[in-house]
Amino acid sequence: MDPRLLAPIPTDGALVSPEEKLAAAQTHTPNLGMTAPTPEGKGPPSLAEMAHQQYVRATHHVSLEPWVVEHLSHPMRTTIASVPVRMDDGQVKVFTGYRCQYSNALGPTKGGIRYHQDVTLDEVIALAAWMNWKCAIAGLPYGGGKGGVVVDPTRLSIGELERITRRYTVEMINVFGPESDIPAPDVNTTSEMMGWIYDTYSMIKGGAAAGVVTGKPLALGGSLGRTESTGRGVVETIEAAVKHKGKRMQDMTACVQGFGKVGYYSARFLAERGAKVVGVSDVSAQLYNKNGIDVEDLFAFARKNKGLIKGYGKAQEISDILTSECDILVPAALENQITSRNAANVRASIVGEGANGPTTVKADEILHKNGVFVIPDVVANSGGVVVSYFEWVQNQQHYPWTEKEVNDRLGVIMERSFRNTVKIAESKSVDMRTAAYVLALERCGEAVKARGLFP
Ligand code: NAD
């Protein structure tokens, strides 16, 4: 993708105050300022650089016409909005909101909204690009989208969060729509907030537009099975990989980094399907027990411990879960975790990426060389958007499905995405991530070409 659009908001590298960061975000113009890529070793690459490098690498393995490759390297539309909100103390604060619709070649754009003080435009564009490839690989009739508001939600009251969410929705009223752009929860956004988006959009447009947003509460047309869908999908692809290698889940040990929505359900389903979970970490601690960790017992402990696992007595604390002894490793916390610094020390033979962007491009090469089988994020963690799609279909048809229907159909799609990616990896002798991108580029490219250029 065009690096000018992905350039990080320029800073001098010094410590930047939240006010300066916000000012920089508000004045950032995508087409200005090109920053040189960050070489690994001098700090991890930005998400945008990573997404760009992955895209370029895959273009060498597809036979698309140059104009199609060029077309797909640019985000279709990015919207930047000021979001003025009256705070509880009576003052008005202005937040910055972004929304990127990466491409609508395959259908309306789809993707979460993130609330975080470090949200940047280039991060939003990179995440929208990943959503784009993810939807194409899963065979969904969607393009990718992503949104974000530069805000630390932990410092706001529930009333302030509601006013931000409703005003952001109004600013995006001509972007969002069941047939144009469908948001969902992401980091720090919840189903309750999706309910506010649904209500605000419907109040302004009229009617009851349940299909404008997914990840809603069940009472508003949310889908059964949505909460655990990403973790469930991660484990579906891991099980497919284990079978592909001629092994059995019962003979596997697993470590999971992160014990949030994705990490907890990944650990739970790994255990349910017979693997022994020997390591779990979160922001507070990294735990290991070679005899196995009871995932539900740990979850119950964390619930009583402000959601954190530190202090759990039935496992010992270790210093690096990513390089611990195990067969399956699930990074399910943050981006840029497996890098050129630690990739050579990864001992797992299968890595299932629950997080977005946990492995850098350099680390990918090292893992591939060492024979580690990586199920890339755009394949492994697509369960969330697949069930979001199911929610949208149920809303459009006014016909809710049973949980079994949701889970069975999710399983079919995850298994198919895995199989199609393996087929390309083997036929083109490329790593799984490049293969996944090839699949996505072929599908998106075919659609771009078939639609042609207007006018
Ligand atoms: P979450 O906030 O629910 O959980 C994040 C977990 O990571 C928490 O347990 C936190 O303690 C832990 N963590 C934070 N910093 C850590 C550190 N330094 N070391 C170890 N653990 C750390 O978030 P989530 O929804 O589970 O998302 C996790 C990742 O998965 C993100 O990259 C997200 O973009 C990606 N993802 C999420 C979904 C989804 O449906 N939630 C879908 C696709 C991808």
Side-chain angles (χ1 to χ4, degrees):
M1 76 209 53
D2 182 345
R4 287 168 305 170
L5 285 171
L6 298 173
I9 293 167
T11 71
D12 62 4
L15 283 177
V16 183
S17 72
E19 290 72 21
E20 285 170 302
K21 213 178 257 180
L22 191 58
Q26 284 164 339
T27 54
H28 179 54
T29 312
N31 279 318
L32 294 178
M34 194 172 342
T35 49
T38 318
E40 261 197 78
K42 294 194 174 173
S46 77
L47 293 194
E49 287 160 9
M50 242 162 89
H52 178 59
Q53 288 169 17
Q54 292 163 347
Y55 178 82
V56 170
R57 196 172 51 180
T59 59
H60 299 311
H61 299 278
V62 283
S63 54
L64 295 176
E65 291 176 31
W67 76 268
V68 177
V69 173
E70 173 69 4
H71 191 306
L72 281 170
S73 75
H74 296 262
M76 177 181 80
R77 183 182 299 121
T78 47
T79 307
I80 307 178
S82 295
V83 183
V85 175
R86 192 169 298 283
M87 310 304 282
D88 290 348
D89 64 6
Q91 286 188 34
V92 173
K93 269 198 187 168
V94 183
F95 299 88
T96 301
Y98 300 116
R99 186 72 186 168
C100 174
Q101 297 167 276
Y102 193 81
S103 162
N104 66 356
L106 289 171
T109 48
K110 181 91 192 76
I113 299 167
R114 179 172 287 204
Y115 284 2
H116 199 279
Q117 59 277 19
D118 295 333
V119 163
T120 62
L121 180 59
D122 71 290
E123 176 192 76
V124 169
I125 294 173
L127 289 163
W130 279 331
M131 280 303 296
N132 201 58
W133 315 134
K134 208 178 282 187
C135 292
I137 292 161
L140 307 181
Y142 285 148
K146 205 73 174 190
V149 178
V150 187
V151 59
D152 179 356
T154 60
R155 291 167 176 259
L156 301 186
S157 69
I158 193 81
E160 289 168 338
L161 280 172
E162 178 171 354
R163 293 195 288 281
I164 286 185
T165 305
R166 288 187 183 275
R167 182 64 191 237
Y168 173 74
T169 305
V170 171
E171 297 302 333
M172 298 292 166
I173 202 77
N174 293 320
V175 174
F176 293 164
E179 301 296 340
S180 55
D181 181 42
I182 306 142
D186 191 79
V187 174
N188 291 329
T189 51
T190 61
S191 64
E192 188 180 19
M193 295 174 189
M194 300 307 114
W196 297 331
I197 292 175
Y198 162 62
D199 182 66
T200 307
Y201 182 90
S202 301
M203 292 297 289
I204 290 177
K205 293 280 187 180
V212 71
V213 62
T214 61
K216 299 180 293 296
L218 280 179
L220 297 179
S223 179
L224 293 166
R226 172 67 180 86
T227 314
E228 57 272 44
S229 56
T230 305
R232 185 182 289 280
V234 168
V235 175
E236 293 282 358
T237 60
I238 289 174
E239 193 167 19
V242 169
K243 281 191 193 145
H244 176 70
K245 287 180 155 283
K247 300 199 170 147
R248 299 176 337 135
M249 286 292 269
Q250 289 80 353
D251 301 325
M252 299 276 130
T253 57
C255 282
V256 180
Q257 184 199 39
F259 204 53
K261 294 183 284 290
V262 182
Y264 160 61
Y265 283 111
S266 296
R268 176 174 149 178
F269 293 126
L270 279 166
E272 270 182 29
R273 296 186 185 200
K276 190 198 288 179
V277 176
V278 290
V280 173
S281 74
D282 73 358
V283 70
S284 71
Q286 311 191 53
L287 302 177
Y288 193 90
N289 183 342
K290 68 175 176 17
N291 298 318
I293 294 172
D294 181 334
V295 175
E296 291 312 302
D297 190 53
L298 180 62
F299 184 67
F301 172 85
R303 280 181 77 153
K304 291 190 212 135
N305 192 34
K306 297 183 183 154
L308 301 174
I309 63 173
K310 193 170 180 64
Y312 184 69
K314 298 175 198 166
Q316 70 193 69
E317 279 209 32
I318 53 164
S319 60
D320 187 7
I321 195 162
L322 297 173
T323 55
S324 297
E325 185 65 50
C326 63
D327 302 305
I328 297 165
L329 176 64
V330 183
L334 305 167
E335 64 280 357
N336 279 328
Q337 293 301 295
I338 307 176
T339 68
S340 55
R341 290 167 192 232
N342 60 5
N345 301 328
V346 168
R347 286 192 261 178
S349 57
I350 295 174
V351 173
E353 294 184 338
N356 284 315
T359 309
T360 64
V361 172
K362 282 255 166 64
D364 242 351
E365 285 163 14
I366 297 168
L367 293 177
H368 187 57
K369 208 169 84 203
N370 289 351
V372 180
F373 189 88
V374 177
I375 313 164
D377 47 8
V378 285
V379 176
N381 73 25
S382 64
V385 71
V386 169
V387 175
S388 270
Y389 164 65
F390 294 163
E391 180 177 331
W392 179 77
V393 169
Q394 293 169 69
N395 295 154
Q396 300 295 75
Q397 298 183 337
H398 306 280
Y399 186 70
W401 303 355
T402 65
E403 192 165 356
K404 183 172 182 329
E405 281 172 313
V406 170
N407 292 342
D408 288 351
R409 286 175 176 164
L410 171 64
V412 169
I413 292 184
M414 297 308 299
E415 212 268 326
R416 187 182 64 196
S417 299
F418 176 84
R419 211 168 355 96
N420 286 338
T421 307
V422 167
K423 211 187 286 175
I424 294 175
E426 290 180 348
S427 68
K428 290 189 182 283
S429 299
V430 293
D431 62 273
M432 284 286 283
R433 191 180 321 275
T434 305
Y437 268 66
V438 166
L439 179 57
L441 292 192
E442 281 172 350
R443 285 186 174 159
C444 293
E446 200 182 333
V448 165
K449 204 171 159 209
R451 286 178 76 145
L453 272 186
F454 177 85

